[in-house]
Amino acid sequence: MNKIKKIGKVTIHDEEIVKKTDKNNEDTFTYLESRDFHNYLMFSERTNDTSIYPFIKDLSLDDYQKSEDLIDNVALLHNKTSYNKEVNQEKHKKIRDNIIGYINHLDSYYYSMLDAIELIEFPSPSDTIFLRNYSKLLELFDFLKNETNSWYELTSNKTKERVCLNHGDIRLDHLIKGDKEYLISWDKSTFDSPILDIINFYHEEWEKLDFETLLKRYLDKCSLTEEEKKLLFINIAIPEKLKKTNDELINVSNTRRLFDYIYKTEKLIRPYYSVEKKE
């Protein structure tokens, strides 16, 4: 009897083969081979929009171990595929303007939320959490604006920038540790700054992983320039846009999560600014 397990776009047959609806990533895999990066899983057959892969049992012991294996592979990928390309200041100006514009939008959005809450005689629990932590948002917005302008100054004389092949969807589920380690699910791969994968990984897994250790491990294996590091910290420090619902339990959870993210991210990046000041 065939044992079939379906997970999203993936169908596992008898723990022997995996069928997945995805892009044809053969060109990406060929490129990876040419750059001496071999930790990917090549499909054995391709028909229409479906790839067939061999089933690999994941032997990872726990998320902590797996996260370290994953960040090692990301660093290896970036090192193997990086190169410099020409860039003009107009691109840097657009990045700065987009970040500052979004921070101003968030600043206005959260000020309007504060204004509305202050008109309420008895604020809800979620509103109370927001009121107690609102000053942290103001502090963060000032930091982000100053850092973005500082980053822009750093790039003012830069005519080249480093790019590499980013996996595009780094998360724990996309590493399999079998006879060797495999990064899977390459549909979102793209050539861009190496910080893109780290930003996406942090946004995806920040709540359950020790990113202080992971970031240090990555930087030890794949060093970033001052401007790359600064833009990385800016992007991961930008908070999400909190949206209210009709369910107060959800509102409390979402509001706590917003400020948990802000405080955890501050703790993550603060040591790097301390080192800069000492130097």
Side-chain angles (χ1 to χ4, degrees), residues 41-124:
L41 188 61
M42 182 66 176
F43 53 79
S44 57
E45 187 178 336
R46 175 81 187 174
T47 56
N48 298 324
D49 60 350
T50 301
S51 297
I52 298 177
Y53 299 91
F55 175 81
I56 307 292
K57 184 175 178 60
D58 188 7
L59 302 178
S60 299
L61 295 177
D62 55 39
D63 285 350
Y64 182 84
Q65 178 206 50
K66 192 171 187 176
S67 67
E68 291 194 339
D69 293 337
L70 179 55
I71 205 68
D72 287 350
N73 275 278
V74 173
L76 180 64
L77 171 67
H78 293 171
N79 281 325
K80 291 286 190 179
T81 63
S82 66
Y83 64 94
N84 291 323
K85 75 170 189 177
E86 298 289 335
V87 65
N88 58 52
Q89 189 62 10
E90 187 59 34
K91 178 181 178 180
H92 297 146
K93 182 177 183 299
K94 185 176 180 180
I95 292 173
R96 181 201 62 180
D97 291 348
N98 285 342
I99 293 174
I100 296 292
Y102 186 64
I103 298 306
N104 286 333
H105 167 71
L106 286 178
D107 196 353
S108 176
Y109 177 81
Y110 283 119
Y111 179 78
S112 297
M113 186 177 291
L114 173 73
D115 204 30
I117 293 172
E118 288 181 333
L119 296 176
I120 302 173
E121 185 175 1
F122 300 106
S124 67

Coordinates of all heavy atoms in Angstrom, one line a residue, residues 41-124:
L41 N 19.7 20.2 -3.3 CA 19.1 19.0 -3.7 C 18.6 19.1 -5.1 O 17.6 19.8 -5.4 CB 18.0 18.6 -2.7 CG 17.4 17.2 -2.9 CD1 18.5 16.1 -2.7 CD2 16.2 16.9 -1.9
M42 N 19.2 18.3 -6.0 CA 18.8 18.4 -7.5 C 17.6 17.4 -7.7 O 17.6 16.3 -7.1 CB 20.0 17.9 -8.3 CG 19.7 17.9 -9.8 SD 19.5 19.6 -10.4 CE 19.3 19.4 -12.1
F43 N 16.7 17.9 -8.5 CA 15.6 17.0 -8.8 C 16.0 15.9 -9.7 O 17.0 16.0 -10.5 CB 14.4 17.8 -9.5 CG 14.8 18.6 -10.7 CD1 15.0 18.0 -11.9 CD2 15.0 20.0 -10.6 CE1 15.3 18.8 -13.0 CE2 15.4 20.8 -11.7 CZ 15.5 20.1 -12.9
S44 N 15.4 14.8 -9.6 CA 15.7 13.6 -10.5 C 14.9 13.6 -11.7 O 15.2 12.9 -12.7 CB 15.5 12.3 -9.7 OG 14.1 12.2 -9.2
E45 N 13.8 14.3 -11.7 CA 12.9 14.4 -12.9 C 12.1 15.6 -12.8 O 11.7 16.2 -11.8 CB 11.9 13.1 -12.8 CG 11.1 13.0 -14.1 CD 10.2 11.7 -14.0 OE1 10.6 10.8 -13.2 OE2 9.2 11.7 -14.7
R46 N 11.8 16.2 -14.0 CA 11.0 17.4 -14.1 C 9.9 17.3 -15.2 O 10.2 17.0 -16.3 CB 11.9 18.6 -14.4 CG 11.3 19.9 -14.7 CD 10.9 20.6 -13.4 NE 10.1 21.8 -13.7 CZ 9.6 22.6 -12.8 NH1 9.7 22.3 -11.5 NH2 8.8 23.6 -13.1
T47 N 8.6 17.5 -14.8 CA 7.6 17.5 -15.8 C 6.6 18.7 -15.5 O 6.1 18.9 -14.4 CB 6.7 16.2 -15.6 OG1 6.2 16.0 -14.3 CG2 7.6 15.0 -16.0
N48 N 6.4 19.4 -16.6 CA 5.5 20.6 -16.5 C 6.0 21.5 -15.3 O 7.1 22.0 -15.3 CB 4.1 20.2 -16.3 CG 3.6 19.4 -17.5 OD1 4.0 19.7 -18.7 ND2 2.7 18.5 -17.3
D49 N 5.2 21.7 -14.3 CA 5.5 22.6 -13.2 C 5.8 21.7 -11.9 O 5.8 22.3 -10.8 CB 4.4 23.6 -12.9 CG 3.1 22.9 -12.5 OD1 3.0 21.7 -12.7 OD2 2.2 23.6 -12.1
T50 N 6.2 20.5 -12.1 CA 6.5 19.6 -11.0 C 7.8 19.0 -11.0 O 8.3 18.5 -12.1 CB 5.4 18.5 -10.9 OG1 4.1 19.0 -10.8 CG2 5.7 17.6 -9.7
S51 N 8.5 19.0 -9.9 CA 9.8 18.4 -9.8 C 9.7 17.2 -8.9 O 8.9 17.2 -7.9 CB 10.9 19.4 -9.2 OG 11.1 20.5 -10.0
I52 N 10.5 16.1 -9.2 CA 10.6 14.9 -8.3 C 12.0 14.9 -7.7 O 13.0 14.9 -8.4 CB 10.3 13.7 -9.1 CG1 8.8 13.7 -9.7 CG2 10.4 12.4 -8.3 CD1 8.5 12.6 -10.6
Y53 N 12.0 14.8 -6.4 CA 13.3 14.8 -5.6 C 13.3 13.4 -4.9 O 12.3 12.9 -4.5 CB 13.3 15.9 -4.6 CG 13.3 17.3 -5.2 CD1 12.1 17.9 -5.4 CD2 14.5 17.9 -5.6 CE1 12.0 19.2 -5.9 CE2 14.4 19.2 -6.1 CZ 13.2 19.9 -6.3 OH 13.1 21.1 -6.8
P54 N 14.6 13.0 -4.6 CA 14.7 11.8 -3.7 C 14.3 12.2 -2.3 O 14.5 13.4 -1.9 CB 16.2 11.5 -3.8 CG 16.8 12.8 -4.2 CD 15.9 13.5 -5.1
F55 N 13.7 11.4 -1.5 CA 13.3 11.7 -0.1 C 14.6 11.6 0.7 O 15.3 10.6 0.7 CB 12.3 10.7 0.4 CG 11.9 10.9 1.8 CD1 11.1 11.9 2.2 CD2 12.5 10.0 2.8 CE1 10.8 12.1 3.6 CE2 12.2 10.2 4.1 CZ 11.3 11.2 4.5
I56 N 14.8 12.6 1.5 CA 16.0 12.6 2.4 C 15.4 12.8 3.8 O 14.7 13.8 4.1 CB 16.9 13.8 2.1 CG1 17.4 13.8 0.7 CG2 18.1 13.8 3.1 CD1 18.3 12.6 0.3
K57 N 15.7 11.9 4.7 CA 15.2 12.0 6.1 C 16.1 13.0 6.8 O 17.3 12.9 6.8 CB 15.3 10.6 6.8 CG 14.7 10.6 8.2 CD 14.7 9.2 8.8 CE 14.2 9.2 10.2 NZ 12.8 9.8 10.3
D58 N 15.5 13.9 7.5 CA 16.2 15.0 8.2 C 16.7 14.4 9.5 O 15.9 14.0 10.4 CB 15.3 16.2 8.5 CG 16.1 17.4 9.1 OD1 17.3 17.3 9.1 OD2 15.4 18.4 9.4
L59 N 18.0 14.4 9.7 CA 18.6 13.8 10.9 C 19.0 14.9 12.0 O 19.8 14.6 12.9 CB 19.9 13.0 10.5 CG 19.6 11.9 9.5 CD1 21.0 11.2 9.2 CD2 18.6 10.9 10.1
S60 N 18.6 16.1 11.8 CA 18.9 17.2 12.7 C 18.4 16.8 14.1 O 17.2 16.3 14.2 CB 18.3 18.5 12.3 OG 18.8 18.9 11.0
L61 N 19.1 17.1 15.1 CA 18.7 16.7 16.5 C 17.7 17.7 17.1 O 16.8 17.3 17.8 CB 20.0 16.6 17.4 CG 20.9 15.5 17.1 CD1 22.1 15.5 18.0 CD2 20.2 14.1 17.1
D62 N 18.0 19.0 16.9 CA 17.1 20.0 17.4 C 17.2 21.3 16.6 O 18.1 21.4 15.8 CB 17.4 20.2 18.9 CG 18.8 20.6 19.2 OD1 19.4 21.4 18.4 OD2 19.4 20.1 20.2
D63 N 16.4 22.3 16.9 CA 16.4 23.5 16.2 C 17.7 24.3 16.4 O 18.1 25.0 15.5 CB 15.2 24.4 16.6 CG 13.9 23.9 16.1 OD1 13.9 23.0 15.2 OD2 12.8 24.4 16.5
Y64 N 18.2 24.2 17.6 CA 19.5 25.0 17.9 C 20.6 24.5 17.0 O 21.3 25.3 16.4 CB 19.9 24.8 19.4 CG 21.1 25.5 19.8 CD1 21.0 26.9 20.1 CD2 22.4 24.9 19.8 CE1 22.2 27.6 20.5 CE2 23.5 25.6 20.1 CZ 23.4 27.0 20.5 OH 24.5 27.7 20.8
Q65 N 20.8 23.1 16.9 CA 21.8 22.6 16.1 C 21.5 22.9 14.6 O 22.4 23.3 13.8 CB 21.9 21.1 16.3 CG 22.9 20.4 15.3 CD 22.5 18.9 15.1 OE1 21.4 18.6 14.7 NE2 23.5 18.0 15.3
K66 N 20.2 22.8 14.2 CA 19.9 23.0 12.8 C 20.1 24.4 12.4 O 20.5 24.7 11.3 CB 18.4 22.6 12.6 CG 18.0 22.5 11.2 CD 16.6 21.9 11.1 CE 16.2 21.6 9.6 NZ 14.9 20.9 9.5
S67 N 19.8 25.4 13.3 CA 20.0 26.8 13.0 C 21.5 27.1 12.7 O 21.8 27.9 11.9 CB 19.4 27.7 14.1 OG 20.2 27.5 15.3
E68 N 22.4 26.5 13.5 CA 23.8 26.7 13.3 C 24.2 26.1 11.9 O 25.0 26.7 11.2 CB 24.6 26.1 14.4 CG 24.4 26.9 15.7 CD 25.5 26.5 16.8 OE1 26.1 25.4 16.6 OE2 25.7 27.3 17.7
D69 N 23.7 24.9 11.6 CA 24.0 24.3 10.3 C 23.5 25.2 9.2 O 24.2 25.3 8.2 CB 23.4 22.9 10.2 CG 24.0 21.9 11.2 OD1 25.2 22.1 11.6 OD2 23.4 20.9 11.5
L70 N 22.3 25.7 9.4 CA 21.7 26.5 8.4 C 22.5 27.8 8.1 O 22.8 28.2 7.0 CB 20.3 26.9 8.8 CG 19.5 27.8 7.8 CD1 19.4 27.2 6.4 CD2 18.0 28.0 8.4
I71 N 22.9 28.5 9.2 CA 23.6 29.8 9.0 C 25.0 29.5 8.4 O 25.5 30.3 7.7 CB 23.7 30.5 10.4 CG1 23.9 32.0 10.1 CG2 24.9 30.0 11.2 CD1 22.7 32.7 9.5
D72 N 25.6 28.3 8.7 CA 26.9 28.0 8.1 C 26.7 27.8 6.6 O 27.6 28.3 5.8 CB 27.4 26.7 8.7 CG 28.0 26.8 10.1 OD1 28.1 28.0 10.6 OD2 28.2 25.8 10.8
N73 N 25.6 27.2 6.2 CA 25.4 27.1 4.7 C 25.1 28.4 4.1 O 25.5 28.6 2.9 CB 24.2 26.1 4.5 CG 24.7 24.6 4.6 OD1 25.2 24.1 3.6 ND2 24.6 24.0 5.7
V74 N 24.4 29.3 4.7 CA 24.1 30.6 4.2 C 25.4 31.3 4.0 O 25.6 32.0 2.9 CB 23.1 31.4 5.1 CG1 23.0 32.8 4.6 CG2 21.8 30.7 5.1
A75 N 26.3 31.3 5.0 CA 27.6 32.0 4.9 C 28.4 31.4 3.7 O 29.0 32.1 2.9 CB 28.3 31.9 6.2
L76 N 28.4 30.1 3.6 CA 29.1 29.4 2.5 C 28.6 29.8 1.2 O 29.3 30.1 0.2 CB 29.1 27.9 2.7 CG 29.8 27.1 1.6 CD1 31.3 27.3 1.7 CD2 29.5 25.6 1.9
L77 N 27.3 29.8 1.0 CA 26.6 30.2 -0.2 C 27.0 31.6 -0.6 O 27.4 31.9 -1.8 CB 25.1 30.2 0.0 CG 24.2 30.7 -1.2 CD1 24.4 29.9 -2.4 CD2 22.8 30.8 -0.8
H78 N 27.0 32.6 0.3 CA 27.3 34.0 0.0 C 28.8 34.1 -0.3 O 29.1 34.9 -1.3 CB 27.0 34.8 1.3 CG 25.5 34.9 1.5 ND1 25.0 35.5 2.7 CD2 24.4 34.5 0.8 CE1 23.7 35.4 2.6 NE2 23.3 34.8 1.5
N79 N 29.7 33.4 0.4 CA 31.1 33.5 0.0 C 31.4 32.9 -1.3 O 32.2 33.5 -2.1 CB 31.9 32.7 1.1 CG 32.1 33.5 2.4 OD1 32.2 34.7 2.3 ND2 32.1 32.8 3.5
K80 N 30.7 31.8 -1.7 CA 31.0 31.2 -2.9 C 30.5 31.9 -4.2 O 31.0 31.8 -5.3 CB 30.4 29.8 -2.9 CG 31.1 28.8 -2.0 CD 32.4 28.3 -2.5 CE 32.9 27.1 -1.7 NZ 34.2 26.7 -2.2
T81 N 29.4 32.7 -4.0 CA 28.8 33.3 -5.1 C 28.9 34.9 -5.2 O 28.3 35.5 -6.0 CB 27.3 33.0 -5.1 OG1 26.6 33.5 -3.9 CG2 27.1 31.4 -5.1
S82 N 29.6 35.4 -4.3 CA 29.7 36.9 -4.2 C 30.6 37.5 -5.3 O 31.6 36.9 -5.7 CB 30.1 37.4 -2.8 OG 31.5 37.0 -2.6
Y83 N 30.3 38.7 -5.7 CA 31.1 39.5 -6.7 C 30.7 40.9 -6.6 O 29.7 41.3 -6.0 CB 30.9 38.9 -8.1 CG 29.6 39.1 -8.7 CD1 29.2 40.2 -9.4 CD2 28.6 38.2 -8.5 CE1 27.9 40.4 -10.0 CE2 27.3 38.3 -9.0 CZ 27.0 39.4 -9.7 OH 25.7 39.6 -10.2
N84 N 31.5 41.8 -7.1 CA 31.2 43.2 -7.1 C 30.7 43.7 -8.4 O 31.1 43.2 -9.4 CB 32.5 44.0 -6.8 CG 33.0 43.8 -5.3 OD1 32.2 43.7 -4.4 ND2 34.3 43.8 -5.2
K85 N 29.7 44.6 -8.3 CA 29.2 45.2 -9.5 C 29.0 46.7 -9.4 O 29.0 47.2 -8.3 CB 27.8 44.6 -9.8 CG 26.7 45.0 -8.9 CD 25.3 44.6 -9.5 CE 24.1 45.2 -8.8 NZ 22.8 44.8 -9.3
E86 N 29.0 47.4 -10.5 CA 28.9 48.8 -10.5 C 27.5 49.3 -9.9 O 26.5 48.6 -10.1 CB 29.0 49.3 -11.9 CG 30.3 49.0 -12.7 CD 31.4 49.8 -12.1 OE1 31.2 50.9 -11.5 OE2 32.6 49.4 -12.2
V87 N 27.6 50.4 -9.2 CA 26.4 50.9 -8.6 C 26.5 52.5 -8.6 O 27.6 53.0 -8.5 CB 26.2 50.4 -7.2 CG1 27.3 50.9 -6.3 CG2 24.8 50.8 -6.6
N88 N 25.4 53.1 -8.8 CA 25.4 54.6 -8.7 C 24.7 55.1 -7.5 O 23.9 54.4 -6.9 CB 24.8 55.2 -10.0 CG 23.4 54.8 -10.2 OD1 22.5 54.9 -9.3 ND2 23.1 54.3 -11.4
Q89 N 25.0 56.4 -7.2 CA 24.4 57.0 -5.9 C 22.9 57.1 -6.0 O 22.3 57.1 -4.9 CB 25.1 58.3 -5.7 CG 24.8 58.9 -4.3 CD 25.3 58.1 -3.2 OE1 26.0 57.1 -3.4 NE2 24.9 58.4 -2.0
E90 N 22.4 57.1 -7.2 CA 20.9 57.2 -7.3 C 20.2 56.0 -6.6 O 19.2 56.2 -6.0 CB 20.5 57.3 -8.8 CG 19.0 57.6 -9.0 CD 18.6 58.9 -8.4 OE1 19.3 59.8 -8.4 OE2 17.4 58.9 -7.9
K91 N 20.8 54.8 -6.7 CA 20.2 53.7 -6.1 C 20.3 53.8 -4.5 O 19.3 53.5 -3.8 CB 21.0 52.4 -6.5 CG 20.5 51.1 -5.8 CD 21.2 49.9 -6.1 CE 20.7 48.7 -5.4 NZ 21.4 47.4 -5.7
H92 N 21.4 54.3 -4.0 CA 21.5 54.5 -2.6 C 20.5 55.6 -2.1 O 19.9 55.4 -1.0 CB 22.9 55.0 -2.2 CG 24.0 53.9 -2.5 ND1 25.2 54.2 -3.0 CD2 23.9 52.6 -2.5 CE1 25.9 53.1 -3.2 NE2 25.1 52.1 -2.9
K93 N 20.3 56.6 -2.9 CA 19.4 57.7 -2.5 C 18.0 57.1 -2.5 O 17.2 57.4 -1.6 CB 19.5 58.8 -3.5 CG 18.5 60.0 -3.2 CD 18.7 61.1 -4.2 CE 17.8 62.3 -3.9 NZ 16.4 62.0 -3.8
K94 N 17.6 56.2 -3.4 CA 16.3 55.6 -3.5 C 16.1 54.7 -2.2 O 15.0 54.8 -1.6 CB 16.1 54.8 -4.7 CG 14.7 54.2 -4.9 CD 14.6 53.5 -6.2 CE 13.2 52.9 -6.4 NZ 13.1 52.2 -7.7
I95 N 17.1 54.0 -1.9 CA 17.0 53.1 -0.7 C 16.8 54.0 0.6 O 15.9 53.7 1.4 CB 18.2 52.3 -0.5 CG1 18.3 51.2 -1.6 CG2 18.2 51.6 0.9 CD1 19.6 50.4 -1.6
R96 N 17.6 55.1 0.7 CA 17.4 56.0 1.9 C 16.1 56.6 1.9 O 15.4 56.6 2.9 CB 18.5 57.1 1.8 CG 18.4 58.0 3.0 CD 19.1 59.4 2.7 NE 18.4 60.1 1.6 CZ 18.8 61.2 1.1 NH1 19.9 61.8 1.7 NH2 18.2 61.8 0.1
D97 N 15.6 57.1 0.8 CA 14.3 57.8 0.7 C 13.2 56.8 1.0 O 12.2 57.2 1.7 CB 14.1 58.4 -0.7 CG 15.0 59.6 -0.9 OD1 15.6 60.1 0.0 OD2 15.1 60.0 -2.1
N98 N 13.3 55.6 0.6 CA 12.2 54.6 0.8 C 12.2 54.2 2.3 O 11.1 54.1 2.9 CB 12.5 53.3 0.0 CG 12.1 53.5 -1.4 OD1 11.4 54.4 -1.8 ND2 12.6 52.6 -2.3
I99 N 13.4 54.1 3.0 CA 13.4 53.7 4.4 C 12.9 54.9 5.2 O 12.0 54.7 6.1 CB 14.8 53.3 4.8 CG1 15.2 52.0 4.2 CG2 14.9 53.2 6.4 CD1 16.7 51.7 4.4
I100 N 13.4 56.1 5.0 CA 12.9 57.3 5.7 C 11.4 57.5 5.5 O 10.7 57.8 6.5 CB 13.7 58.5 5.3 CG1 15.2 58.4 5.6 CG2 13.1 59.8 5.9 CD1 15.5 58.4 7.1
G101 N 11.0 57.3 4.3 CA 9.5 57.5 4.0 C 8.7 56.5 4.8 O 7.6 56.9 5.3
Y102 N 9.1 55.3 4.9 CA 8.4 54.3 5.6 C 8.4 54.5 7.1 O 7.4 54.4 7.8 CB 8.9 52.9 5.3 CG 8.0 51.8 5.9 CD1 6.7 51.6 5.5 CD2 8.5 51.0 6.9 CE1 5.9 50.6 6.1 CE2 7.7 50.0 7.5 CZ 6.4 49.8 7.1 OH 5.6 48.9 7.7
I103 N 9.6 55.0 7.6 CA 9.7 55.3 9.1 C 8.8 56.5 9.4 O 8.1 56.5 10.4 CB 11.1 55.6 9.4 CG1 12.0 54.4 9.2 CG2 11.2 56.0 10.9 CD1 11.5 53.1 9.9
N104 N 8.7 57.5 8.5 CA 7.8 58.6 8.8 C 6.4 58.1 8.7 O 5.5 58.6 9.5 CB 8.0 59.7 7.7 CG 9.3 60.5 7.9 OD1 9.8 60.6 9.1 ND2 9.9 61.0 6.9
H105 N 6.1 57.2 7.8 CA 4.7 56.7 7.8 C 4.3 55.9 9.1 O 3.3 56.1 9.6 CB 4.6 55.7 6.6 CG 3.3 54.8 6.6 ND1 2.1 55.3 6.4 CD2 3.2 53.5 6.9 CE1 1.2 54.4 6.5 NE2 1.8 53.3 6.8
L106 N 5.3 55.1 9.6 CA 5.0 54.4 10.8 C 4.9 55.4 12.0 O 4.0 55.2 12.9 CB 6.2 53.4 11.1 CG 6.2 52.1 10.3 CD1 7.4 51.3 10.7 CD2 4.9 51.3 10.5
D107 N 5.7 56.4 12.0 CA 5.7 57.4 13.1 C 4.3 58.1 13.1 O 3.7 58.2 14.2 CB 6.8 58.5 12.8 CG 7.1 59.3 14.0 OD1 6.4 59.2 15.0 OD2 8.0 60.1 13.9
S108 N 3.8 58.5 11.9 CA 2.5 59.1 11.9 C 1.4 58.1 12.2 O 0.4 58.5 13.0 CB 2.3 59.6 10.4 OG 1.0 60.2 10.3
Y109 N 1.5 56.9 11.8 CA 0.5 55.9 12.1 C 0.4 55.6 13.6 O -0.7 55.5 14.1 CB 0.9 54.6 11.3 CG 0.0 53.4 11.6 CD1 -1.2 53.3 10.9 CD2 0.4 52.4 12.5 CE1 -2.0 52.2 11.1 CE2 -0.4 51.3 12.7 CZ -1.6 51.2 12.0 OH -2.5 50.1 12.3
Y110 N 1.5 55.4 14.2 CA 1.5 55.1 15.7 C 1.1 56.4 16.5 O 0.6 56.2 17.6 CB 2.8 54.5 16.1 CG 3.0 53.1 15.7 CD1 4.0 52.7 14.9 CD2 2.1 52.1 16.2 CE1 4.1 51.3 14.5 CE2 2.2 50.8 15.8 CZ 3.2 50.4 15.0 OH 3.3 49.1 14.6
Y111 N 1.5 57.6 16.0 CA 1.0 58.8 16.7 C -0.5 58.9 16.7 O -1.1 59.3 17.7 CB 1.7 60.0 16.1 CG 1.2 61.3 16.8 CD1 1.8 61.6 18.0 CD2 0.2 62.1 16.2 CE1 1.4 62.8 18.7 CE2 -0.2 63.2 16.9 CZ 0.4 63.6 18.1 OH 0.0 64.7 18.8
S112 N -1.1 58.6 15.5 CA -2.5 58.6 15.4 C -3.2 57.6 16.3 O -4.2 57.8 16.9 CB -3.0 58.3 13.9 OG -2.5 59.3 13.1
M113 N -2.5 56.4 16.5 CA -3.0 55.4 17.4 C -3.0 55.9 18.8 O -3.9 55.7 19.6 CB -2.2 54.1 17.2 CG -2.7 52.9 18.0 SD -1.8 51.4 17.7 CE -2.3 51.1 16.0
L114 N -1.9 56.5 19.2 CA -1.7 57.1 20.5 C -2.8 58.2 20.8 O -3.4 58.2 21.8 CB -0.3 57.7 20.7 CG -0.1 58.5 21.9 CD1 0.1 57.6 23.1 CD2 1.2 59.4 21.8
D115 N -3.0 59.0 19.8 CA -4.0 60.1 19.9 C -5.4 59.6 20.2 O -6.1 60.1 21.0 CB -4.0 60.9 18.6 CG -4.5 62.3 18.8 OD1 -4.3 62.9 19.9 OD2 -5.0 62.9 17.9
A116 N -5.7 58.5 19.5 CA -7.0 57.9 19.6 C -7.2 57.2 21.0 O -8.2 57.3 21.7 CB -7.3 56.8 18.5
I117 N -6.1 56.6 21.5 CA -6.2 55.9 22.8 C -6.3 56.9 23.9 O -7.0 56.7 24.9 CB -4.9 55.0 23.0 CG1 -4.9 53.9 22.0 CG2 -4.8 54.5 24.4 CD1 -3.6 53.1 22.0
E118 N -5.7 58.0 23.8 CA -5.7 59.0 24.9 C -7.1 59.7 25.0 O -7.4 60.3 26.0 CB -4.7 60.1 24.6 CG -3.2 59.6 24.8 CD -2.2 60.7 24.6 OE1 -2.5 61.6 23.8 OE2 -1.1 60.6 25.2
L119 N -8.0 59.5 24.0 CA -9.3 60.0 24.1 C -10.3 59.0 24.9 O -11.4 59.3 25.2 CB -9.9 60.3 22.8 CG -9.2 61.4 21.9 CD1 -9.8 61.5 20.6 CD2 -9.3 62.7 22.7
I120 N -9.7 57.8 25.1 CA -10.6 56.7 25.7 C -10.4 56.8 27.3 O -9.3 56.9 27.8 CB -10.1 55.3 25.3 CG1 -10.2 55.2 23.7 CG2 -10.9 54.2 25.9 CD1 -9.6 53.9 23.2
E121 N -11.5 56.8 28.0 CA -11.5 57.0 29.4 C -10.9 55.8 30.1 O -10.1 55.9 31.1 CB -12.9 57.2 30.0 CG -13.0 57.5 31.5 CD -14.4 57.8 31.9 OE1 -15.3 57.8 31.1 OE2 -14.6 58.1 33.1
F122 N -11.2 54.6 29.6 CA -10.7 53.3 30.2 C -10.0 52.5 29.1 O -10.7 51.7 28.4 CB -11.8 52.5 30.9 CG -12.5 53.3 32.0 CD1 -13.7 53.8 31.8 CD2 -11.8 53.5 33.2 CE1 -14.4 54.4 32.9 CE2 -12.4 54.2 34.2 CZ -13.7 54.6 34.1
P123 N -8.7 52.7 28.9 CA -8.0 52.0 27.8 C -8.1 50.5 28.0 O -8.1 50.0 29.1 CB -6.6 52.5 27.9 CG -6.7 53.8 28.6 CD -7.8 53.6 29.6
S124 N -8.1 49.7 26.9 CA -8.1 48.3 27.0 C -6.7 47.8 27.4 O -5.8 48.6 27.4 CB -8.4 47.7 25.6 OG -7.4 48.0 24.7

